């Protein structure tokens, strides 16, 4: 695609990156086949190709309008289009640049601005989110059904963390909402890795990866979250941790990109690049230890039956991190039977804060996803991202769990 970027952006790092991405798009439209919003709305401007066209217009100096904002807001950032694109267009990076410009030019309605500000203030801060969630859980029984479905029951079990005893060490990202919503996921990871001969350690001053803030278009504020985590992790990196383990694939996608997002920061660029290399989804870590895992599984008591599991692959795992088949291989080795899930490439509608900001589209995607997941008559649903987990649980009568909890239970 030919481009002629406007002077305001042409010579900036973002402008150069956007230009090279735009030039790789040949406008073939293959990406429209797998775009969830195009499938639902049938509007070219709600497809990747249409959004690329809108962003090109904007970057070439045409007026930035509310119409562009609406169509970019409706994008889930699921990146299914990247997986489909034969030309390797990095749509995710382009939409980050496009959204940042729209945000600076198009004001939001007072209600929309308030919603976004509230999400930015509450979600990344466990000291605020945790007590608010606990209040909701206490009042859950008397809440209206629609609200009740969105608040998961309080979990208090499964939080035992093994004492350190191994020479091999890995760090874990604690995250923001996950410790309150599902406090058993990281401890289960620590127990599985302990059995595999690895200590999982926490850095107390680390926190939210920055994804919530970044995707709410406060990209500079999000970089502060990244810098804080790097500062918290760096002594452990210097002490030789083998990896930074991330148990929510949505967060993992951003941590993998710290090097990119801080490339222009002379103080943090090199450290951020190192963090990106060390960042690993928990599936990559366990998969790499599969020989030891198979020995453990051979010693564990055989299950009386093979539980039927529908695995929901989060977009961040398959399209963001480009990890395919690892969780499935681990679950099969652990004796679970995997049911067939049609349209597994499609988003469940969770997509960070999308389910709150675009509730109608999110609900339609959720309904379709639950039908697809339940179509193979599983006894439970497994996934790899806390956002998908709570979103799916709000619409399915089946139990929805992180796959690492299933593996931990199998090994117990
Ligand atoms: S993003 Fe890729 S698949 Fe979509 S129109 Fe451009 S080149 Fe074709
Ligand atoms: S990221 Fe997802 S919703 Fe957005 S354009 Fe690509 S496929 Fe469509």
């Amino acid at each position: 695609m030919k481009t002629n970027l406007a002077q305001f952006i042409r010579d900036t790092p973002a402008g150069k990156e956007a230009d090279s991405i735009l030039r790789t798009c040949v406008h073939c439209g293959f990406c429209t086949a797998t775009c969830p919003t195009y499938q639902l709305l049938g509007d070219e401007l709600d497809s990747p190709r249409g959004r690329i066209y809108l962003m090109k217009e904007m970057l070439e100096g045409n007026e930035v309008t509310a119409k562009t904002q609406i169509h970019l807001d409706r994008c889930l950032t699921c990146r299914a289009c990247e997986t489909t694109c034969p030309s390797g267009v990095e749509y995710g990076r382009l939409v980050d640049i496009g959204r940042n410009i729209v945000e600076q030019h198009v004001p939001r309605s007072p209600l929309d601005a308030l919603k976004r500000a509230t999400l930015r203030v509450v979600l990344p801060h466990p000291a605020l989110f945790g007590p608010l969630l606990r209040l909701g859980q206490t009042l859950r029984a008397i809440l209206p059904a629609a609200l009740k479905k969105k608040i998961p029951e309080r979990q208090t079990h499964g939080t035992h963390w093994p004492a350190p005893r191994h020479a091999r060490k890995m760090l874990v990202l604690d995250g923001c909402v996950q410790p309150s919503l599902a406090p058993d996921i990281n401890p289960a990871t620590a127990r599985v890795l302990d059995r595999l001969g690895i200590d999982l350690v926490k850095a107390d001053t680390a926190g939210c990866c920055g994804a919530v803030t970044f995707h709410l278009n406060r990209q500079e504020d999000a970089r502060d979250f990244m810098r804080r985590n790097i500062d918290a992790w760096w002594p452990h990196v210097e002490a030789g941790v083998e990896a930074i383990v991330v148990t929510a694939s949505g967060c993992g996608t951003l941590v993998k990109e710290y090097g990119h997002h801080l490339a222009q920061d002379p103080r943090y660029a090199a450290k951020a690049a190192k963090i990106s290399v060390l960042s690993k989804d928990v599936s990559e870590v366990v998969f790499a230890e599969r020989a030891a895992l198979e020995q453990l599984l051979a010693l564990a008591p055989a299950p009386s039956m093979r539980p039927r599991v529908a695995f929901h692959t989060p977009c961040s795992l398959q399209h963001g991190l480009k990890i395919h088949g690892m969780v499935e291989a681990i679950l099969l080795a652990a004796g679970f039977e995997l049911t067939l899930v049609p349209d597994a490439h499609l988003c469940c509608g969770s997509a960070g804060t999308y389910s709150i900001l675009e509730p109608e589209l999110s609900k339609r995607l959720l309904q379709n996803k639950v039908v697809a997941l339940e179509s193979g008559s599983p006894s439970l649903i497994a996934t790899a991202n806390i956002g998908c987990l709570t979103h799916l649980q709000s619409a399915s009568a089946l139990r929805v769990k992180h796959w690492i909890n299933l593996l931990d239970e199998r090994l117990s």
Side-chain angles (χ1 to χ4, degrees):
M1 187 194 286
K2 278 192 182 162
T3 57
N4 182 19
L5 261 56
Q7 204 156 9
F8 80 95
I9 190 140
R10 188 185 301 146
D11 297 321
T12 65
K16 287 178 188 161
E17 185 180 24
D19 196 40
S20 94
I21 296 170
L22 285 170
R23 281 167 185 267
T24 55
C25 176
V26 294
H27 248 55
C28 63
F30 283 1
C31 52
T32 58
T34 56
C35 173
T37 54
Y38 183 66
Q39 283 191 2
L40 290 183
L41 301 167
D43 182 342
E44 173 73 12
L45 295 180
D46 286 311
S47 78
R49 183 171 62 179
R51 291 180 177 121
I52 288 171
Y53 175 76
L54 287 171
M55 288 187 273
K56 177 178 181 287
E57 291 281 290
M58 184 173 75
L59 292 162
E60 290 187 337
N62 293 298
E63 193 189 356
V64 189
T65 65
K67 184 172 140 186
T68 308
Q69 187 178 59
I70 287 170
H71 294 293
L72 294 192
D73 279 356
R74 282 188 196 148
C75 169
L76 294 140
T77 331
C78 68
R79 294 167 62 178
C81 47
E82 284 189 17
T83 301
T84 311
C85 175
S87 302
V89 172
E90 292 181 295
Y91 173 87
R93 295 224 164 135
L94 183 64
V95 83
D96 286 345
I97 296 167
R99 283 178 169 149
N100 200 25
I101 296 168
V102 174
E103 206 64 26
Q104 289 162 24
H105 288 85
V106 183
R108 297 209 171 258
S109 70
L111 182 61
D112 194 17
L114 178 67
K115 266 198 233 171
R116 286 166 183 270
T118 307
L119 292 169
R120 279 200 313 275
V121 169
V122 174
L123 294 185
H125 301 289
L128 262 179
F129 178 77
L132 285 173
L133 177 69
R134 277 197 293 284
L135 179 66
Q137 287 168 330
T138 307
L139 301 174
R140 201 170 175 271
I142 57 166
L143 291 176
L147 191 55
K148 188 175 169 178
K149 279 196 301 185
K150 293 187 186 300
I151 300 177
E153 284 176 39
R154 189 167 180 188
Q155 273 185 29
T156 50
H157 58 279
T159 55
H160 167 69
W161 197 290
R165 60 186 173 125
H166 303 292
R168 295 181 67 189
K169 312 268 180 211
M170 294 186 184
L171 259 176
V172 67
L173 170 77
D174 233 2
C176 50
V177 296
Q178 183 173 294
S180 304
L181 289 168
D184 58 344
I185 293 176
N186 281 356
T189 305
R191 293 191 293 269
V192 169
L193 293 189
D194 174 60
R195 293 183 191 104
L196 293 169
I198 301 164
D199 285 341
L200 193 65
V201 296
K202 294 192 254 188
D204 289 336
T205 50
C208 177
C209 66
V212 172
T213 312
F214 193 89
H215 294 302
L216 286 167
N217 294 320
R218 288 293 189 274
Q219 298 183 4
E220 265 318 305
D221 294 346
R223 287 189 182 90
D224 288 338
F225 281 93
M226 299 177 202
R227 292 183 189 101
R228 186 193 60 181
N229 282 348
I230 292 172
D231 287 342
W233 291 333
W234 202 250
H236 297 273
V237 172
E238 288 187 319
V241 290
E242 289 179 40
I244 298 168
V245 183
V246 187
T247 55
S249 56
C251 309
T253 305
L254 190 77
V255 180
K256 225 12 175 190
E257 294 178 347
Y258 272 20
H260 170 73
H261 294 302
L262 292 171
Q264 307 305 322
D265 181 332
R267 280 185 59 219
Y268 281 88
K271 288 181 176 178
K274 172 83 176 168
I275 295 295
S276 290
V277 171
L278 286 174
S279 170
K280 299 267 183 276
D281 184 76
V282 57
S283 59
E284 294 176 274
V285 174
V286 175
F287 191 76
E289 305 293 326
R290 60 193 178 283
L293 177 66
E294 277 165 19
Q295 286 178 10
L296 285 174
L297 287 165
L299 296 172
S304 54
M305 53 174 278
R306 289 183 79 198
R308 288 172 62 80
V309 177
F311 179 59
H312 165 63
T313 314
C315 300
S316 43
L317 192 72
Q318 57 176 322
H319 306 306
L321 292 168
K322 320 253 184 258
I323 292 174
H324 302 279
M326 288 189 187
V327 177
E328 293 88 332
I330 294 164
L331 289 177
L332 284 171
F336 294 93
E337 185 180 343
L338 296 180
T339 63
L340 203 66
V341 180
D343 293 327
H345 62 282
L346 287 178
C347 181
C348 68
S350 168
T353 54
Y354 193 90
S355 60
I356 299 164
L357 297 170
E358 300 286 343
E360 292 310 316
L361 286 174
S362 169
K363 194 171 159 194
R364 288 169 67 187
L365 290 168
L366 176 62
Q367 284 165 346
N368 293 345
K369 181 56 73 178
V370 169
V371 168
L373 285 165
E374 293 182 353
S375 65
S377 306
S379 54
L380 57 95
I381 295 170
T383 189
N385 185 51
I386 185 65
C388 309
L389 191 158
T390 46
H391 194 54
L392 292 170
Q393 191 65 86
S394 73
S396 176
L398 296 177
R399 192 88 175 92
V400 186
K401 291 187 164 196
H402 195 294
W403 67 267
I404 197 74
N405 290 98
L406 299 184
L407 182 61
D408 176 50
E409 287 163 18
R410 174 74 180 83
L411 293 171
S412 294

